[in-house]
Amino acid sequence: MFNVNLYIDPATTSYIIQIAAGVLVALGTCVGIFWNKITRVFRKKKEDDAPVVKKTTQDKDKDVVIKVSHLRKTYENNLQVLKDVNAEIRKGEVISVIGPSGTGKSTFLRCLNLLEKPDGGSVIIDGVDILAPGANVPALREKMGMVFQSFNLFNGKSILENIIYAPMKLRHKTREEAEAKAMELLELVGLAEKANVYPQQLSGGQKQRVAIARALAMEPEIILFDEPTSALDPTMVSEVLGVMRTL
């Protein structure tokens, strides 16, 4: 029998421990990579086996809230502003109409709610052709808010009264309901403290924010913005765009 005393100095022991730790880390990494690959394969197989739901043409048509076909508009002196305009706008879409001044952008928007009557074509809102004889245009307009270039606020009414007028008149809301909603909207556009002042006491940017609140008060399904910042000083443009981005 031989007795062997094995002595390993501390430096060597530390070195062996570092190597062992490195091997364990590498092994753990390999296992992790392998596991990720396995789960990815099973996940992909599950996705491949899942039924594919495709929208039919009928489903897609249900998403269309505005459909314009072959729209035409000519002013006096044979000035043709709109010629064979076609568009489909679906629920949730944000569409910008871009072009130089005088190319018919505002006319196009005004034709959508019949502030301008087209000379031809069709405008279908939620499946209803608003140019058809007997179409209930006022009811359809209630679904469509509009913010104008020049604000179009009632100067003889306070800001609060500007906002509550249409909901009370057309939606038959009580004054308490209309005022509660109006204050909520004024809070949204950052003008709650201006509820009892008059339009002439506001800046251009503030007037346009009130106009946005007034349009929202009717809880429209569609909102048309007719160059809402074109009449503003450059310093006021950002405050109106900021409100629009939150909608």
Side-chain angles (χ1 to χ4, degrees):
M1 294 287 295
F2 292 94
N3 292 324
V4 179
N5 294 323
L6 184 63
Y7 172 75
I8 301 176
D9 63 272
T12 304
T13 302
S14 176
Y15 181 65
I16 292 172
I17 291 173
Q18 289 179 12
I19 292 176
V23 170
L24 289 174
V25 170
L27 182 62
T29 302
C30 291
V31 171
I33 293 172
F34 178 73
W35 179 254
N36 285 339
K37 286 187 176 181
I38 290 293
T39 54
R40 196 177 298 131
V41 168
F42 278 103
R43 194 183 302 121
K44 186 175 187 307
K45 187 176 187 311
K46 186 176 180 181
E47 290 173 355
D48 291 342
D49 292 341
V52 177
V53 179
K54 293 183 177 179
K55 278 192 172 185
T56 64
T57 303
Q58 186 176 7
D59 291 333
K60 290 180 180 178
D61 289 342
K62 288 180 181 178
D63 292 338
V64 176
V65 291
I66 300 176
K67 184 174 182 179
V68 178
S69 302
H70 309 295
L71 194 67
R72 304 190 313 277
K73 176 64 180 178
T74 302
Y75 288 117
E76 295 178 2
N77 302 323
N78 293 323
L79 177 62
Q80 191 171 39
V81 181
L82 302 177
K83 180 181 179 182
D84 196 29
V85 176
N86 299 275
E88 283 190 0
I89 302 172
R90 289 177 167 78
K91 186 175 182 178
E93 287 186 329
V94 178
I95 304 297
S96 297
V97 182
I98 301 172
S101 179
T103 54
K105 302 185 297 298
S106 295
T107 300
F108 174 67
L109 293 182
R110 292 170 70 85
C111 284
L112 294 182
N113 58 12
L114 294 190
L115 293 177
E116 294 280 357
K117 188 170 182 180
D119 297 323
S122 66
V123 178
I124 298 175
I125 308 294
D126 276 345
V128 178
D129 188 348
I130 63 174
L131 297 179
N136 189 347
V137 176
L140 290 167
R141 280 178 177 157
E142 290 183 22
K143 299 181 179 182
M144 188 181 300
M146 187 162 184
V147 179
F148 300 89
Q149 296 182 46
S150 53
F151 325 129
N152 288 356
L153 300 176
F154 299 116
N155 288 324
K157 294 181 179 291
S158 70
I159 299 308
L160 184 64
E161 290 169 336
N162 264 274
I163 297 173
I164 68 175
Y165 181 77
M168 291 176 61
K169 185 81 171 177
L170 301 175
R171 293 288 175 88
H172 307 294
K173 290 191 175 184
T174 65
R175 188 175 186 89
E176 291 74 19
E177 290 173 332
E179 286 187 355
K181 182 65 175 179
M183 292 307 300
E184 179 185 323
L185 292 170
L186 285 173
E187 189 72 37
L188 174 68
V189 300
L191 291 172
E193 75 283 359
K194 302 289 186 181
N196 295 315
V197 306
Y198 286 79
Q200 56 267 34
Q201 297 173 267
L202 301 180
S203 68
Q206 290 173 329
K207 289 178 183 178
Q208 197 60 293
R209 283 188 279 160
V210 171
I212 293 172
R214 182 179 62 178
L216 293 173
M218 288 293 288
E219 300 177 346
E221 297 175 13
I222 302 163
I223 300 183
L224 307 177
F225 290 92
D226 184 11
E227 298 189 43
T229 61
S230 64
L232 303 179
D233 294 333
T235 55
M236 299 177 182
V237 170
S238 60
E239 65 182 72
V240 174
L241 292 179
V243 170
M244 291 173 64
R245 291 190 188 99
T246 64
L247 302 181

